[in-house]
Amino acid sequence: MTDAAVPRTDLFWELAGLIARIPGLDHRLPLRRAAEAFAEHIGSLEVEHSGMLKEDLYATLRQCDAYPNGLRFYLDTLGSGRTGTLAWTAVERMYRRLHPERLLTRAERDALCALLAARPPGPPLGPVALRFLPFLPPPAAGRAAPEDTTPDLLDALEDALVLPDEAHPLLSFVEAVAVHQPPQLEGELRAWNDKVAHRLGGAVELLRRVRARESARLGRPFEPCRLLVEIVAHPAAPDEYHLRGWLLAPGEGPRSLLSDCRVSSRPALEAAVAALHQSVLDRLGELSAGLSVEFLLPRPLLWLDVDQFPVRPAGSVPRPIGADHTVLIRSRDRFGNRHWWPALHRRLSWLESHPDGSFDVPAVRYVTPGATPDPYDLLSQLREMETPFCFVLLEPPVYEGDLAADPVYVLLEVGIPAIVALRGRHGRHDRARPELGKALAGRLDALPERVRHLRGSAAPHCDDPSTRLDLRRHVTLVWDSRDGLEGAEAALGHPRTGGGHP
């Protein structure tokens, strides 16, 4: 913006005085050469010389400014060889008062104005902009109607103060507007923000933080954070657990430990997880909406019922952690064996190429209760196949201490991304398959979300609970996807212990 407190004419007069005082420019030869270069490249200058250097300079500068980028060209020509002096620094400072650098290019500004004009009828932009400005700017002369205030708001937002570790107020404003728009316009506004932020060299994580914050204000997080909890136990002392916890911001791997402790009982383990969960809620605040909780477990603890660990958010009632959050199990063994990853990625590629793949054959294979597949036969069948994507273990095998005889270990090795297991020995497993299939029917890529809804649903009505398997409390979902833990080796390192039994 120009310096509204000083008339533009006065700024040109001051600029002429600064130039006239520079040694070497107080006679006509360099001025005439600059005018000739201007006429050759930009356009003619018709100045009536008064004999007064400052007045002639003033008239020349005003005429140059009438051409697009004309004043900039004239000053660059006139200042050749003088740009390193203090006197010329003052000239450049005065030029920036006349033509301050704009945050947006003309094309970017026009594109943004067009997107904002395409909004459906709704609340005005002023109250949204006021969240990022100390006050709303008065409308410019001739722009008194509310619908004409957008240019004034953009002018003020371009010049707004940028706080440390915060995105530019203009980018934050665009995100605040985008989140209330229909999906197509929301995506276009965010794409505009991404391009401008990249050109300005802004930190991507700052824009992502704004995006998450604005989405959280509506209760629908854009990219939820993830709580990663690693639990291991020593085979000789299966009731002694070592727990570590990290918070994974959107698009980032684990950085710093939030928890690192040893506990000597199952109740103490549950209490440690509950304390870690509460600390994350306190840290995230409104950004905790949509938080997912991922447990990194070794094969012996794979069926540990971590989704049923009780938590009690401050001021609320106790509930299983899986009733509030998407709880996933990630295999510690698959994470540690990087030569298994190509097989996993091959099956994930199949899922991505079949986005409408459903919880059904050929993507899903059921293992009936009491049937334990031979590990070598299973390896021979699956090692070269793209499908199945998911195995359903209606009665999951218990780990007996021998990985070579464990079919579940084979499923992890051949890259099965999803394993649904029905824990427990209560209920009628012969009826579990149709009930489970009905509960989880739908797109495969939305399986974690459907499991969350299942765990958070009301208890089923049953006259004799002992004859029925309560799916809400007995489903384990082992899951791997493209948002896995690749690249997290340095932070996670190796577990201090391994093994143990749930």
Side-chain angles (χ1 to χ4, degrees), residues 173-243:
F173 165 77
V174 172
E175 290 296 336
V177 173
V179 76
H180 292 277
Q181 306 311 313
Q184 181 175 349
L185 182 56
E186 179 183 22
E188 291 174 348
L189 284 166
R190 283 177 167 161
W192 182 94
N193 243 1
D194 288 335
K195 291 179 181 178
V196 172
H198 177 74
R199 182 182 65 79
L200 296 177
V204 176
E205 60 270 17
L206 296 181
L207 184 58
R208 185 182 290 121
R209 186 190 308 164
V210 172
R211 193 163 288 171
R213 184 171 62 233
E214 294 301 326
S215 297
R217 288 172 67 92
L218 296 184
R220 52 181 184 89
F222 180 72
E223 289 182 304
C225 292
R226 301 151 61 194
L227 170 60
L228 177 64
V229 184
E230 179 195 55
I231 301 174
V232 293
H234 197 281
D239 291 330
E240 293 186 4
Y241 301 94
H242 179 216
L243 177 145

Side-chain angles (χ1 to χ4, degrees), residues 226-232 242-248 252-260 294-297 330-336 341 484-497:
R226 301 151 61 194
L227 170 60
L228 177 64
V229 184
E230 179 195 55
I231 301 174
V232 293
H242 179 216
L243 177 145
R244 296 191 293 173
W246 298 263
L247 181 63
L248 282 64
E252 299 178 3
R255 288 188 173 181
S256 58
L257 276 171
L258 299 180
S259 179
D260 187 354
E294 303 176 11
F295 288 87
L296 188 63
L297 304 179
R330 294 207 182 262
S331 166
R332 217 329 162 173
D333 301 273
R334 181 146 59 193
F335 172 75
W341 291 6
L485 303 175
E486 297 88 340
E489 296 93 332
L492 294 176
H494 297 286
R496 298 181 187 175
T497 58

Side-chain angles (χ1 to χ4, degrees), residues 10-22 53-55 57-58 61 91 94:
D10 292 353
L11 296 178
F12 276 105
W13 185 252
E14 290 184 39
L15 179 58
L18 291 171
I19 295 174
R21 289 195 293 271
I22 295 177
L53 178 60
K54 186 174 180 179
E55 291 182 1
L57 268 173
Y58 170 79
L61 296 173
V91 170
M94 184 59 64

Side-chain angles (χ1 to χ4, degrees), residues 167-462:
H168 194 285
L170 176 62
L171 304 183
S172 299
F173 165 77
V174 172
E175 290 296 336
V177 173
V179 76
H180 292 277
Q181 306 311 313
Q184 181 175 349
L185 182 56
E186 179 183 22
E188 291 174 348
L189 284 166
R190 283 177 167 161
W192 182 94
N193 243 1
D194 288 335
K195 291 179 181 178
V196 172
H198 177 74
R199 182 182 65 79
L200 296 177
V204 176
E205 60 270 17
L206 296 181
L207 184 58
R208 185 182 290 121
R209 186 190 308 164
V210 172
R211 193 163 288 171
R213 184 171 62 233
E214 294 301 326
S215 297
R217 288 172 67 92
L218 296 184
R220 52 181 184 89
F222 180 72
E223 289 182 304
C225 292
R226 301 151 61 194
L227 170 60
L228 177 64
V229 184
E230 179 195 55
I231 301 174
V232 293
H234 197 281
D239 291 330
E240 293 186 4
Y241 301 94
H242 179 216
L243 177 145
R244 296 191 293 173
W246 298 263
L247 181 63
L248 282 64
E252 299 178 3
R255 288 188 173 181
S256 58
L257 276 171
L258 299 180
S259 179
D260 187 354
C261 63
R262 293 182 181 273
V263 295
S264 57
S265 67
R266 165 65 181 260
L269 176 64
E270 294 181 358
V273 170
L276 174 61
H277 172 258
Q278 184 61 54
S279 70
V280 169
L281 296 186
D282 294 340
R283 174 186 289 236
L284 292 178
E286 63 181 2
L287 297 183
S288 64
L291 174 71
S292 63
V293 183
E294 303 176 11
F295 288 87
L296 188 63
L297 304 179
R299 170 61 186 100
L301 300 180
L302 210 57
W303 314 136
L304 187 64
D305 57 342
V306 289
D307 54 278
Q308 296 302 304
F309 281 13
V311 294
R312 183 172 185 170
S316 189
V317 297
R319 78 288 300 269
I321 192 171
D324 277 356
H325 306 285
T326 298
V327 173
L328 305 175
I329 305 300
R330 294 207 182 262
S331 166
R332 217 329 162 173
D333 301 273
R334 181 146 59 193
F335 172 75
N337 288 282
R338 298 189 65 177
H339 60 281
W340 290 2
W341 291 6
L344 172 65
H345 293 160
R346 184 178 68 248
R347 294 184 194 274
L348 290 176
S349 296
W350 178 90
L351 179 65
E352 292 169 358
S353 63
H354 297 76
D356 296 324
S358 61
F359 192 76
D360 202 350
V361 292
V364 178
R365 182 179 297 183
Y366 286 83
V367 178
T368 57
T372 302
D374 178 77
Y376 185 79
D377 290 344
L378 202 58
L379 179 65
S380 301
Q381 295 171 21
L382 298 176
R383 61 173 14 134
E384 300 298 335
M385 299 174 62
E386 288 184 318
T387 58
F389 175 86
C390 174
F391 259 74
V392 179
L393 308 178
L394 296 175
E395 193 171 336
V398 177
Y399 177 63
E400 300 293 347
D402 184 3
L403 293 175
D406 181 32
V408 176
Y409 210 66
V410 173
L411 297 181
L412 297 172
E413 179 184 354
V414 298
I416 301 298
I419 301 175
V420 177
L422 255 55
R423 305 183 302 261
R425 295 289 180 265
H426 304 290
R428 302 184 61 180
H429 287 274
D430 56 332
R431 295 186 179 180
R433 175 170 177 169
E435 185 179 353
L436 183 64
K438 182 179 178 181
L440 299 183
R443 291 168 54 107
L444 276 170
D445 57 3
L447 186 58
E449 182 67 9
R450 292 201 301 280
V451 170
R452 183 186 69 82
H453 283 293
L454 174 64
R455 289 169 175 156
S457 61
H461 174 73
C462 185

Side-chain angles (χ1 to χ4, degrees), residues 8-92:
R8 190 173 174 83
T9 301
D10 292 353
L11 296 178
F12 276 105
W13 185 252
E14 290 184 39
L15 179 58
L18 291 171
I19 295 174
R21 289 195 293 271
I22 295 177
L25 295 182
D26 53 354
H27 52 81
R28 301 288 179 176
L29 181 59
L31 302 180
R32 185 170 67 250
R33 288 175 176 171
E36 291 172 352
F38 189 95
E40 180 181 352
H41 293 90
I42 304 294
S44 61
L45 294 175
E46 299 178 359
V47 178
E48 295 183 5
H49 297 288
S50 65
M52 301 293 293
L53 178 60
K54 186 174 180 179
E55 291 182 1
D56 291 348
L57 268 173
Y58 170 79
T60 300
L61 296 173
R62 292 300 300 265
Q63 285 197 31
C64 290
D65 196 50
Y67 293 91
N69 294 319
L71 183 57
R72 181 70 269 170
F73 179 88
Y74 183 81
L75 292 179
D76 287 344
T77 304
L78 196 61
S80 177
R82 301 179 176 88
T83 54
T85 65
L86 292 175
W88 195 259
T89 300
V91 170
E92 289 292 342

Side-chain angles (χ1 to χ4, degrees), residues 435 454 457-463 465 468-473:
E435 185 179 353
L454 174 64
S457 61
H461 174 73
C462 185
D463 295 332
R468 186 180 183 91
L469 186 67
D470 186 353
L471 295 179
R472 299 174 311 134
R473 298 187 296 110

